[in-house]
Amino acid sequence: MICAHYLSKYLATTLNWLYNVLPSTGGYEPVMFARTTSNLRDFPLKNLYALSDLAPHRRLYNLAVYKTLGYFPLFYNAGRDRDVDLLHVHLGYDGYRMLPLKRKLRVPMVTGFFGIDASKYLRMPEWRERYRRLFDEGECFLALGPRMRDALVNAGCPAAKLRIFHVAIVVEDFPFRARVLGDRERATILMGATFREKKGVAYALDAMASLRKRGLPFKFVLAGDGPLRPQIERQISDLDLRRHVELLGYVDPLAFRGLMERSHIVILPSVTASDGDTEGTPLVLVEALAMGIPVVSTLHADIPEIVKDGVSGYLVPERDSGALAERLIHLVEHPESWEAIGRAGREHVAEQFNATKQFDKLLKIYSGLIPKQDGAA
């Protein structure tokens, strides 16, 4: 069985977890179609066809055909020559864009949704209409959790075509360690995020100000960058947090894993942005729980699928920095609770967000869509 995958950019770090479900195992071989590439050293893949690798004249030809007929000849020819059985497109808006390729290849198509494509885009009238066509022609759609599934159903996706498919990690790559606070050690609170509205960095900093006023020994490590950095820097200064905050800038995934190994608590106070953008199920929370780190996040999107409130961490309402501070204060003042919380998180991730289990689930979805060959059982 050969499945052709499509990502506009292979492989953005925000989607690096997909690499865990692309191995050539179990009689399934992946072929990747992409317009551009990045991070190939970290995520090498055979059978990668990228428009950006073409000579300029061939790239222009492909773009001209796409504008006229809706598909890229590079992808069609590769799919035909490899005799692909299935097309899997990994973002909702790209699913719509790849419909002509699906028709040309005459294969079933799976479309996965991951966040903004199932939130902000659903508020745009032109995209709601495009999605109706996608929902009509596509055979299967993947949502990260029940809230995303419900949003897609409300937008017109037939419930019978929807499956929940979690983000996945190789659990063994994230060793568990019970978190303890040493004598005279400050609690290290870690957050990693792009500095955009939906990440809720401003509310995290407000909560840190409450911890500072309470006189608690803590350090807030903030890894990330983005358009809101100037506002974040001003807020750190205005709240007199410069001695408590380490602002690191962008940190690559492997280095961030090292930061998690040295941290006691991970936070992500996500919110629904003013333009409707939301999270899906943030990978950073999955990884933190796998490592035994208590987390504090928000009742936002499908985060409750990852974090079980009061069991593997705490969830608070969006934009409620007071509630966020209250939960953080409780954790910092009760380090004896960290081990039990961490073990509960590890168990949940190993059961629900395990790459091996999710890959098996994906294979069953694929097999159910591919027509049986003559004589097959």
Side-chain angles (χ1 to χ4, degrees):
M1 176 168 66
I2 297 178
C3 177
H5 297 259
Y6 177 81
L7 277 170
S8 180
K9 183 177 183 179
Y10 177 88
L11 184 62
T13 55
T14 52
L15 290 173
N16 60 20
W17 67 272
L18 282 171
Y19 192 68
N20 296 324
V21 293
L22 292 176
S24 181
T25 58
Y28 148 71
E29 182 179 2
V31 173
M32 177 60 67
F33 299 155
R35 295 187 68 150
T36 62
T37 62
S38 64
N39 304 309
L40 293 179
R41 181 184 302 175
D42 295 325
F43 308 111
L45 189 70
K46 297 188 300 181
N47 305 323
L48 173 60
Y49 299 85
L51 292 172
S52 57
D53 291 339
L54 297 177
H57 70 282
R58 291 191 60 205
R59 189 159 59 245
L60 288 173
Y61 167 71
N62 271 264
L63 289 171
V65 174
Y66 175 74
K67 289 180 179 179
T68 305
L69 301 178
Y71 68 91
F72 294 104
L74 172 67
F75 302 154
Y76 169 67
N77 293 333
R80 179 198 58 199
D81 294 345
R82 299 302 301 269
D83 196 22
V84 300
D85 300 287
L86 182 75
L87 179 61
H88 186 162
V89 184
H90 289 280
L91 284 166
Y93 43 75
D94 282 333
Y96 169 78
R97 293 171 177 140
M98 290 298 110
L99 281 174
L101 179 63
K102 163 191 158 50
R103 299 184 199 115
K104 187 74 172 175
L105 289 173
R106 298 182 180 180
V107 295
M109 186 171 79
V110 176
T111 304
F113 287 81
F114 293 103
I116 190 173
D117 51 350
S119 55
K120 178 180 177 179
Y121 276 70
L122 294 183
R123 299 175 63 172
M124 303 178 185
E126 68 273 24
W127 274 101
R128 288 183 71 93
E129 183 59 35
R130 291 168 180 172
Y131 276 176
R132 289 190 185 98
R133 191 180 309 170
L134 172 64
F135 297 150
D136 181 57
E137 294 191 41
E139 282 75 13
C140 182
F141 302 91
L142 306 181
L144 294 177
R147 291 160 187 81
M148 183 180 287
R149 177 191 60 199
D150 292 347
L152 293 172
V153 169
N154 290 336
C157 184
K161 291 185 176 183
L162 272 164
R163 303 288 184 274
I164 290 179
F165 181 74
H166 289 143
V167 297
I169 64 171
V170 178
V171 178
E172 294 75 17
D173 288 346
F174 296 86
F176 172 88
R177 179 174 66 82
R179 305 291 143 163
V180 295
L181 190 65
D183 292 340
R184 299 182 181 179
E185 185 182 10
R186 291 190 295 171
T188 299
I189 302 168
L190 174 66
M191 179 176 176
T194 305
F195 292 170
R196 292 182 291 169
E197 182 185 357
K198 74 175 181 180
K199 297 298 182 179
V201 181
Y203 304 100
L205 291 172
D206 284 343
M208 297 307 150
S210 296
L211 270 67
R212 181 189 62 79
K213 291 175 183 177
R214 196 176 179 97
L216 293 175
F218 78 96
K219 175 176 63 175
F220 182 39
V221 179
L222 180 56
D225 209 339
L228 296 182
R229 185 178 182 114
Q231 294 95 308
I232 289 167
E233 291 176 338
R234 284 196 300 270
Q235 188 179 5
I236 291 171
S237 179
D238 292 344
L239 294 174
D240 193 20
L241 286 171
R242 283 171 291 185
R243 289 181 299 170
H244 294 275
V245 177
E246 290 186 14
L247 187 58
L248 300 183
Y250 171 75
V251 175
D252 67 60
L254 187 59
F256 189 79
R257 191 180 306 179
L259 292 175
M260 287 199 291
E261 290 173 352
R262 301 188 294 274
S263 298
H264 301 106
I265 300 166
V266 165
I267 68 167
L268 187 66
S270 303
V271 303
T272 302
S274 53
D275 64 0
D277 189 13
T278 69
E279 304 276 15
T281 50
L283 184 64
V284 63
L285 297 180
V286 177
E287 294 176 345
L289 293 179
M291 298 175 73
I293 309 174
V295 304
V296 182
S297 190
T298 48
L299 294 160
H300 169 83
D302 278 301
I303 288 176
E305 285 290 288
I306 305 173
V307 184
K308 298 305 177 184
D309 187 31
V311 179
S312 57
Y314 296 105
L315 298 176
V316 302
E318 293 184 27
R319 304 180 189 274
D320 192 338
S321 54
L324 182 65
E326 183 180 304
R327 293 291 84 195
L328 286 170
I329 289 169
H330 175 80
L331 280 174
V332 173
E333 292 184 338
H334 295 279
E336 73 280 358
S337 68
W338 295 352
E339 181 174 356
I341 293 172
R343 291 192 183 280
R346 172 73 174 197
E347 291 174 3
H348 180 59
V349 167
E351 179 61 31
Q352 296 295 328
F353 298 90
N354 186 314
T356 300
K357 293 184 178 182
Q358 290 301 302
F359 179 67
D360 289 343
K361 181 177 181 179
L362 191 61
L363 280 180
K364 291 178 181 177
I365 292 172
Y366 288 171
S367 298
L369 296 175
I370 297 174
K372 297 288 191 299
Q373 300 296 321
D374 292 340

